[in-house]
Amino acid sequence: MPDLNAVVTQRIDAAPGLMILRVAPDGWKLPEFTPGQFAVLGLPGKAPRTPYSDAEEKPGDPDKMIRRAYSIASSSLSRDHLELFITLVRSGELTPRLFALKPGDRVWLGPKLTGLFTMRDVPPEKHIAMIATGTGVAPYMSMLRTELGGTAPRRYAVLAGARHSWDLAYSAELITMARIHPRMTYLATVSRPQEEPAPWGGLKGYVQALWTGGALEQAWGFKPTAADTHVFLCGNPGMIDDMAKLLAAEGFVEMDARHPEGTIHVERYW
Ligand SMILES: Cc1cc2nc3c(=O)[nH]c(=O)nc-3n(C[C@H](O)[C@H](O)[C@H](O)COP(=O)(O)OP(=O)(O)OC[C@H]3O[C@@H](n4cnc5c(N)ncnc54)[C@H](O)[C@@H]3O)c2cc1C
């Protein structure tokens, strides 16, 4: 089993079952990465599980390393640590163990940071709409933290959906970015407004409705099209499939090896 080669330097409990975790390599250097890429975290089967998770029916091999991918939320310009945004899957194998970690604890961090979900191939004059559910906002934090101050003339928009307002963990930073940068828009919607303890005055419903209902068009002052905008989709595969269908009807094509000119970019979390 590989060594636990990284240390938890900070843990922010953003909401129940939702944390921002910072990990630093111990005795080695983080490689360069492109915003939007992911890291792999691991813990052995014998690592304890948070009491807020389901008990494991069949505990696995105590010495087997359980590994999962996590989008990097920190800027690629800061390479002393990685920031990750993680939701607790109560019945899951790895996240109940990650949620038992505290600052100073050790974890395995894969030495390679990879992934194709990046803005590398987006021409600088094309606008970027970043659509996320839940923790799917993580790669956009890395992209914006790294590139928002740059010279590309494009507009950026984050369209974020979550069940509850308290799950929109990066809202304060995204609202600030949108206030400071005239080319940045942030639209957030909650799908269970009836469960908010104080009335939610913001947008309601699924994130797809921000696209179909014209909220982005209103914010930008024009309707984004496949000719001028690249759309990034990250998180829940149900949202991604819905959005991909909606976008295909508007002439957008998913970027892949056969369609390098495509303007839909996709990262499915499961
Ligand atoms: C490229 C990539 C990047 C990812 N980035 C992130 C990230 O930034 N943050 C993050 O929390 N997860 C992310 N994931 C998902 C992550 O890799 C794990 O699948 C997740 O943490 C569950 O692991 P587990 O071992 O606890 O659950 P498992 O025992 O592996 O159970 C998997 C089940 O958990 C559910 N699930 C998985 N991910 C999520 C999620 N994010 N939200 C709600 N339910 C989920 C699904 O029902 C899935 O079938 C990413 C996945 C990929 C492929």
Side-chain angles (χ1 to χ4, degrees), residues 4-31:
L4 299 183
N5 58 356
V7 177
V8 173
T9 56
Q10 197 180 11
R11 168 183 171 149
I12 299 168
D13 285 282
L18 202 56
M19 69 171 172
I20 294 170
L21 195 71
R22 288 190 175 178
V23 295
D26 189 15
W28 55 287
K29 275 201 157 134
L30 284 176

PDB file of all heavy atoms in Angstrom, residues 4-31:
ATOM      1  N   LEU A   4       0.813   7.346   3.037  1.00  0.00           N
ATOM      2  CA  LEU A   4      -0.083   8.501   3.107  1.00  0.00           C
ATOM      3  C   LEU A   4       0.835   9.717   2.992  1.00  0.00           C
ATOM      4  O   LEU A   4       1.506  10.101   3.946  1.00  0.00           O
ATOM      5  CB  LEU A   4      -0.889   8.481   4.403  1.00  0.00           C
ATOM      6  CG  LEU A   4      -1.788   7.242   4.572  1.00  0.00           C
ATOM      7  CD1 LEU A   4      -2.612   7.328   5.844  1.00  0.00           C
ATOM      8  CD2 LEU A   4      -2.690   7.030   3.361  1.00  0.00           C
ATOM      9  N   ASN A   5       0.926  10.276   1.783  1.00  0.00           N
ATOM     10  CA  ASN A   5       1.989  11.212   1.424  1.00  0.00           C
ATOM     11  C   ASN A   5       1.582  12.685   1.501  1.00  0.00           C
ATOM     12  O   ASN A   5       2.271  13.545   0.983  1.00  0.00           O
ATOM     13  CB  ASN A   5       2.458  10.903  -0.012  1.00  0.00           C
ATOM     14  CG  ASN A   5       1.302  11.007  -1.000  1.00  0.00           C
ATOM     15  OD1 ASN A   5       0.171  11.228  -0.600  1.00  0.00           O
ATOM     16  ND2 ASN A   5       1.595  10.852  -2.277  1.00  0.00           N
ATOM     17  N   ALA A   6       0.442  12.961   2.130  1.00  0.00           N
ATOM     18  CA  ALA A   6      -0.024  14.351   2.218  1.00  0.00           C
ATOM     19  C   ALA A   6      -0.690  14.579   3.572  1.00  0.00           C
ATOM     20  O   ALA A   6      -1.072  13.627   4.262  1.00  0.00           O
ATOM     21  CB  ALA A   6      -1.005  14.632   1.084  1.00  0.00           C
ATOM     22  N   VAL A   7      -0.801  15.875   3.931  1.00  0.00           N
ATOM     23  CA  VAL A   7      -1.320  16.235   5.252  1.00  0.00           C
ATOM     24  C   VAL A   7      -2.504  17.172   5.077  1.00  0.00           C
ATOM     25  O   VAL A   7      -2.478  18.066   4.219  1.00  0.00           O
ATOM     26  CB  VAL A   7      -0.206  16.957   6.068  1.00  0.00           C
ATOM     27  CG1 VAL A   7      -0.717  17.408   7.427  1.00  0.00           C
ATOM     28  CG2 VAL A   7       1.002  16.048   6.220  1.00  0.00           C
ATOM     29  N   VAL A   8      -3.519  16.970   5.890  1.00  0.00           N
ATOM     30  CA  VAL A   8      -4.664  17.897   5.884  1.00  0.00           C
ATOM     31  C   VAL A   8      -4.219  19.165   6.611  1.00  0.00           C
ATOM     32  O   VAL A   8      -3.808  19.107   7.768  1.00  0.00           O
ATOM     33  CB  VAL A   8      -5.870  17.272   6.615  1.00  0.00           C
ATOM     34  CG1 VAL A   8      -6.997  18.291   6.769  1.00  0.00           C
ATOM     35  CG2 VAL A   8      -6.340  16.031   5.882  1.00  0.00           C
ATOM     36  N   THR A   9      -4.271  20.303   5.910  1.00  0.00           N
ATOM     37  CA  THR A   9      -3.841  21.550   6.546  1.00  0.00           C
ATOM     38  C   THR A   9      -5.031  22.371   7.023  1.00  0.00           C
ATOM     39  O   THR A   9      -4.907  23.197   7.919  1.00  0.00           O
ATOM     40  CB  THR A   9      -3.008  22.407   5.573  1.00  0.00           C
ATOM     41  OG1 THR A   9      -3.779  22.636   4.394  1.00  0.00           O
ATOM     42  CG2 THR A   9      -1.705  21.714   5.219  1.00  0.00           C
ATOM     43  N   GLN A  10      -6.184  22.179   6.398  1.00  0.00           N
ATOM     44  CA  GLN A  10      -7.360  22.943   6.824  1.00  0.00           C
ATOM     45  C   GLN A  10      -8.613  22.187   6.441  1.00  0.00           C
ATOM     46  O   GLN A  10      -8.647  21.509   5.400  1.00  0.00           O
ATOM     47  CB  GLN A  10      -7.365  24.316   6.137  1.00  0.00           C
ATOM     48  CG  GLN A  10      -8.289  25.287   6.819  1.00  0.00           C
ATOM     49  CD  GLN A  10      -8.304  26.655   6.126  1.00  0.00           C
ATOM     50  OE1 GLN A  10      -7.783  26.805   5.035  1.00  0.00           O
ATOM     51  NE2 GLN A  10      -8.925  27.628   6.768  1.00  0.00           N
ATOM     52  N   ARG A  11      -9.629  22.314   7.279  1.00  0.00           N
ATOM     53  CA  ARG A  11     -10.924  21.717   6.969  1.00  0.00           C
ATOM     54  C   ARG A  11     -11.993  22.726   7.339  1.00  0.00           C
ATOM     55  O   ARG A  11     -12.040  23.198   8.478  1.00  0.00           O
ATOM     56  CB  ARG A  11     -11.086  20.443   7.799  1.00  0.00           C
ATOM     57  CG  ARG A  11     -12.498  19.922   7.752  1.00  0.00           C
ATOM     58  CD  ARG A  11     -12.686  18.698   8.619  1.00  0.00           C
ATOM     59  NE  ARG A  11     -14.106  18.416   8.682  1.00  0.00           N
ATOM     60  CZ  ARG A  11     -14.628  17.211   8.818  1.00  0.00           C
ATOM     61  NH1 ARG A  11     -13.836  16.169   8.943  1.00  0.00           N
ATOM     62  NH2 ARG A  11     -15.938  17.045   8.860  1.00  0.00           N
ATOM     63  N   ILE A  12     -12.821  23.079   6.379  1.00  0.00           N
ATOM     64  CA  ILE A  12     -13.922  24.000   6.655  1.00  0.00           C
ATOM     65  C   ILE A  12     -15.213  23.228   6.451  1.00  0.00           C
ATOM     66  O   ILE A  12     -15.467  22.718   5.354  1.00  0.00           O
ATOM     67  CB  ILE A  12     -13.878  25.221   5.704  1.00  0.00           C
ATOM     68  CG1 ILE A  12     -12.570  25.985   5.898  1.00  0.00           C
ATOM     69  CG2 ILE A  12     -15.078  26.138   5.927  1.00  0.00           C
ATOM     70  CD1 ILE A  12     -12.294  27.025   4.816  1.00  0.00           C
ATOM     71  N   ASP A  13     -15.998  23.104   7.519  1.00  0.00           N
ATOM     72  CA  ASP A  13     -17.299  22.446   7.396  1.00  0.00           C
ATOM     73  C   ASP A  13     -18.288  23.481   6.896  1.00  0.00           C
ATOM     74  O   ASP A  13     -18.781  24.295   7.655  1.00  0.00           O
ATOM     75  CB  ASP A  13     -17.707  21.848   8.737  1.00  0.00           C
ATOM     76  CG  ASP A  13     -16.900  20.594   9.021  1.00  0.00           C
ATOM     77  OD1 ASP A  13     -17.220  19.555   8.440  1.00  0.00           O
ATOM     78  OD2 ASP A  13     -15.912  20.668   9.793  1.00  0.00           O
ATOM     79  N   ALA A  14     -18.539  23.455   5.583  1.00  0.00           N
ATOM     80  CA  ALA A  14     -19.356  24.499   4.953  1.00  0.00           C
ATOM     81  C   ALA A  14     -20.815  24.338   5.340  1.00  0.00           C
ATOM     82  O   ALA A  14     -21.551  25.315   5.468  1.00  0.00           O
ATOM     83  CB  ALA A  14     -19.186  24.423   3.439  1.00  0.00           C
ATOM     84  N   ALA A  15     -21.259  23.110   5.509  1.00  0.00           N
ATOM     85  CA  ALA A  15     -22.641  22.771   5.867  1.00  0.00           C
ATOM     86  C   ALA A  15     -22.599  21.318   6.306  1.00  0.00           C
ATOM     87  O   ALA A  15     -21.598  20.628   6.054  1.00  0.00           O
ATOM     88  CB  ALA A  15     -23.552  22.952   4.648  1.00  0.00           C
ATOM     89  N   PRO A  16     -23.666  20.812   6.924  1.00  0.00           N
ATOM     90  CA  PRO A  16     -23.620  19.389   7.282  1.00  0.00           C
ATOM     91  C   PRO A  16     -23.372  18.542   6.029  1.00  0.00           C
ATOM     92  O   PRO A  16     -24.055  18.709   5.010  1.00  0.00           O
ATOM     93  CB  PRO A  16     -25.020  19.127   7.856  1.00  0.00           C
ATOM     94  CG  PRO A  16     -25.503  20.464   8.312  1.00  0.00           C
ATOM     95  CD  PRO A  16     -24.912  21.467   7.360  1.00  0.00           C
ATOM     96  N   GLY A  17     -22.359  17.678   6.094  1.00  0.00           N
ATOM     97  CA  GLY A  17     -22.075  16.798   4.954  1.00  0.00           C
ATOM     98  C   GLY A  17     -21.409  17.479   3.777  1.00  0.00           C
ATOM     99  O   GLY A  17     -21.432  16.958   2.666  1.00  0.00           O
ATOM    100  N   LEU A  18     -20.823  18.628   4.010  1.00  0.00           N
ATOM    101  CA  LEU A  18     -20.178  19.359   2.912  1.00  0.00           C
ATOM    102  C   LEU A  18     -18.937  20.050   3.458  1.00  0.00           C
ATOM    103  O   LEU A  18     -19.036  20.838   4.404  1.00  0.00           O
ATOM    104  CB  LEU A  18     -21.166  20.415   2.420  1.00  0.00           C
ATOM    105  CG  LEU A  18     -20.996  20.969   1.011  1.00  0.00           C
ATOM    106  CD1 LEU A  18     -21.004  19.863  -0.018  1.00  0.00           C
ATOM    107  CD2 LEU A  18     -22.125  21.950   0.714  1.00  0.00           C
ATOM    108  N   MET A  19     -17.768  19.712   2.924  1.00  0.00           N
ATOM    109  CA  MET A  19     -16.560  20.349   3.472  1.00  0.00           C
ATOM    110  C   MET A  19     -15.593  20.788   2.381  1.00  0.00           C
ATOM    111  O   MET A  19     -15.561  20.245   1.280  1.00  0.00           O
ATOM    112  CB  MET A  19     -15.829  19.420   4.448  1.00  0.00           C
ATOM    113  CG  MET A  19     -15.193  18.217   3.811  1.00  0.00           C
ATOM    114  SD  MET A  19     -14.147  17.348   5.026  1.00  0.00           S
ATOM    115  CE  MET A  19     -13.748  15.876   4.108  1.00  0.00           C
ATOM    116  N   ILE A  20     -14.836  21.826   2.747  1.00  0.00           N
ATOM    117  CA  ILE A  20     -13.731  22.298   1.926  1.00  0.00           C
ATOM    118  C   ILE A  20     -12.476  21.779   2.634  1.00  0.00           C
ATOM    119  O   ILE A  20     -12.278  22.048   3.819  1.00  0.00           O
ATOM    120  CB  ILE A  20     -13.751  23.833   1.834  1.00  0.00           C
ATOM    121  CG1 ILE A  20     -15.001  24.288   1.068  1.00  0.00           C
ATOM    122  CG2 ILE A  20     -12.466  24.351   1.187  1.00  0.00           C
ATOM    123  CD1 ILE A  20     -15.270  25.780   1.122  1.00  0.00           C
ATOM    124  N   LEU A  21     -11.687  20.977   1.916  1.00  0.00           N
ATOM    125  CA  LEU A  21     -10.526  20.334   2.529  1.00  0.00           C
ATOM    126  C   LEU A  21      -9.276  20.812   1.815  1.00  0.00           C
ATOM    127  O   LEU A  21      -9.237  20.817   0.577  1.00  0.00           O
ATOM    128  CB  LEU A  21     -10.671  18.817   2.351  1.00  0.00           C
ATOM    129  CG  LEU A  21      -9.772  17.923   3.190  1.00  0.00           C
ATOM    130  CD1 LEU A  21     -10.198  17.970   4.661  1.00  0.00           C
ATOM    131  CD2 LEU A  21      -9.833  16.474   2.686  1.00  0.00           C
ATOM    132  N   ARG A  22      -8.292  21.231   2.598  1.00  0.00           N
ATOM    133  CA  ARG A  22      -7.007  21.584   1.995  1.00  0.00           C
ATOM    134  C   ARG A  22      -5.983  20.535   2.380  1.00  0.00           C
ATOM    135  O   ARG A  22      -5.859  20.185   3.558  1.00  0.00           O
ATOM    136  CB  ARG A  22      -6.557  22.955   2.475  1.00  0.00           C
ATOM    137  CG  ARG A  22      -7.403  24.039   1.866  1.00  0.00           C
ATOM    138  CD  ARG A  22      -6.826  25.387   2.149  1.00  0.00           C
ATOM    139  NE  ARG A  22      -7.588  26.398   1.451  1.00  0.00           N
ATOM    140  CZ  ARG A  22      -7.346  27.690   1.523  1.00  0.00           C
ATOM    141  NH1 ARG A  22      -6.345  28.130   2.265  1.00  0.00           N
ATOM    142  NH2 ARG A  22      -8.087  28.538   0.862  1.00  0.00           N
ATOM    143  N   VAL A  23      -5.247  20.054   1.385  1.00  0.00           N
ATOM    144  CA  VAL A  23      -4.211  19.047   1.631  1.00  0.00           C
ATOM    145  C   VAL A  23      -2.904  19.520   1.010  1.00  0.00           C
ATOM    146  O   VAL A  23      -2.894  20.116  -0.065  1.00  0.00           O
ATOM    147  CB  VAL A  23      -4.599  17.658   1.062  1.00  0.00           C
ATOM    148  CG1 VAL A  23      -5.803  17.095   1.781  1.00  0.00           C
ATOM    149  CG2 VAL A  23      -4.867  17.706  -0.427  1.00  0.00           C
ATOM    150  N   ALA A  24      -1.806  19.251   1.734  1.00  0.00           N
ATOM    151  CA  ALA A  24      -0.481  19.665   1.249  1.00  0.00           C
ATOM    152  C   ALA A  24       0.394  18.429   1.109  1.00  0.00           C
ATOM    153  O   ALA A  24       0.358  17.537   1.963  1.00  0.00           O
ATOM    154  CB  ALA A  24       0.149  20.638   2.240  1.00  0.00           C
ATOM    155  N   PRO A  25       1.172  18.351   0.026  1.00  0.00           N
ATOM    156  CA  PRO A  25       2.086  17.206  -0.118  1.00  0.00           C
ATOM    157  C   PRO A  25       3.155  17.290   0.971  1.00  0.00           C
ATOM    158  O   PRO A  25       3.570  18.391   1.345  1.00  0.00           O
ATOM    159  CB  PRO A  25       2.693  17.422  -1.508  1.00  0.00           C
ATOM    160  CG  PRO A  25       2.552  18.876  -1.787  1.00  0.00           C
ATOM    161  CD  PRO A  25       1.348  19.361  -1.033  1.00  0.00           C
ATOM    162  N   ASP A  26       3.569  16.140   1.484  1.00  0.00           N
ATOM    163  CA  ASP A  26       4.582  16.125   2.542  1.00  0.00           C
ATOM    164  C   ASP A  26       5.892  15.593   1.965  1.00  0.00           C
ATOM    165  O   ASP A  26       5.995  14.413   1.646  1.00  0.00           O
ATOM    166  CB  ASP A  26       4.097  15.226   3.688  1.00  0.00           C
ATOM    167  CG  ASP A  26       5.015  15.350   4.892  1.00  0.00           C
ATOM    168  OD1 ASP A  26       5.821  16.302   4.936  1.00  0.00           O
ATOM    169  OD2 ASP A  26       4.932  14.485   5.782  1.00  0.00           O
ATOM    170  N   GLY A  27       6.866  16.486   1.762  1.00  0.00           N
ATOM    171  CA  GLY A  27       8.182  16.053   1.276  1.00  0.00           C
ATOM    172  C   GLY A  27       8.261  15.918  -0.232  1.00  0.00           C
ATOM    173  O   GLY A  27       9.217  15.336  -0.740  1.00  0.00           O
ATOM    174  N   TRP A  28       7.285  16.375  -0.983  1.00  0.00           N
ATOM    175  CA  TRP A  28       7.332  16.362  -2.458  1.00  0.00           C
ATOM    176  C   TRP A  28       6.575  17.576  -2.959  1.00  0.00           C
ATOM    177  O   TRP A  28       5.874  18.236  -2.200  1.00  0.00           O
ATOM    178  CB  TRP A  28       6.764  15.061  -3.029  1.00  0.00           C
ATOM    179  CG  TRP A  28       5.364  14.720  -2.592  1.00  0.00           C
ATOM    180  CD1 TRP A  28       4.974  14.266  -1.362  1.00  0.00           C
ATOM    181  CD2 TRP A  28       4.165  14.822  -3.379  1.00  0.00           C
ATOM    182  NE1 TRP A  28       3.622  14.070  -1.331  1.00  0.00           N
ATOM    183  CE2 TRP A  28       3.089  14.400  -2.558  1.00  0.00           C
ATOM    184  CE3 TRP A  28       3.874  15.208  -4.691  1.00  0.00           C
ATOM    185  CZ2 TRP A  28       1.767  14.350  -3.000  1.00  0.00           C
ATOM    186  CZ3 TRP A  28       2.557  15.156  -5.133  1.00  0.00           C
ATOM    187  CH2 TRP A  28       1.527  14.741  -4.287  1.00  0.00           C
ATOM    188  N   LYS A  29       6.755  17.862  -4.242  1.00  0.00           N
ATOM    189  CA  LYS A  29       6.157  19.074  -4.826  1.00  0.00           C
ATOM    190  C   LYS A  29       4.937  18.718  -5.654  1.00  0.00           C
ATOM    191  O   LYS A  29       4.954  17.728  -6.402  1.00  0.00           O
ATOM    192  CB  LYS A  29       7.173  19.738  -5.750  1.00  0.00           C
ATOM    193  CG  LYS A  29       8.114  20.648  -5.031  1.00  0.00           C
ATOM    194  CD  LYS A  29       8.694  21.630  -6.040  1.00  0.00           C
ATOM    195  CE  LYS A  29       9.166  22.858  -5.309  1.00  0.00           C
ATOM    196  NZ  LYS A  29      10.427  23.328  -5.673  1.00  0.00           N
ATOM    197  N   LEU A  30       3.909  19.533  -5.543  1.00  0.00           N
ATOM    198  CA  LEU A  30       2.750  19.326  -6.416  1.00  0.00           C
ATOM    199  C   LEU A  30       3.163  19.606  -7.849  1.00  0.00           C
ATOM    200  O   LEU A  30       3.849  20.601  -8.105  1.00  0.00           O
ATOM    201  CB  LEU A  30       1.630  20.312  -6.062  1.00  0.00           C
ATOM    202  CG  LEU A  30       0.810  20.042  -4.811  1.00  0.00           C
ATOM    203  CD1 LEU A  30      -0.172  21.182  -4.602  1.00  0.00           C
ATOM    204  CD2 LEU A  30       0.068  18.721  -4.944  1.00  0.00           C
ATOM    205  N   PRO A  31       2.725  18.769  -8.799  1.00  0.00           N
ATOM    206  CA  PRO A  31       3.046  19.069 -10.196  1.00  0.00           C
ATOM    207  C   PRO A  31       2.198  20.241 -10.689  1.00  0.00           C
ATOM    208  O   PRO A  31       1.218  20.624 -10.047  1.00  0.00           O
ATOM    209  CB  PRO A  31       2.639  17.788 -10.925  1.00  0.00           C
ATOM    210  CG  PRO A  31       1.607  17.160 -10.066  1.00  0.00           C
ATOM    211  CD  PRO A  31       1.922  17.561  -8.655  1.00  0.00           C
TER     212      PRO A  31
END
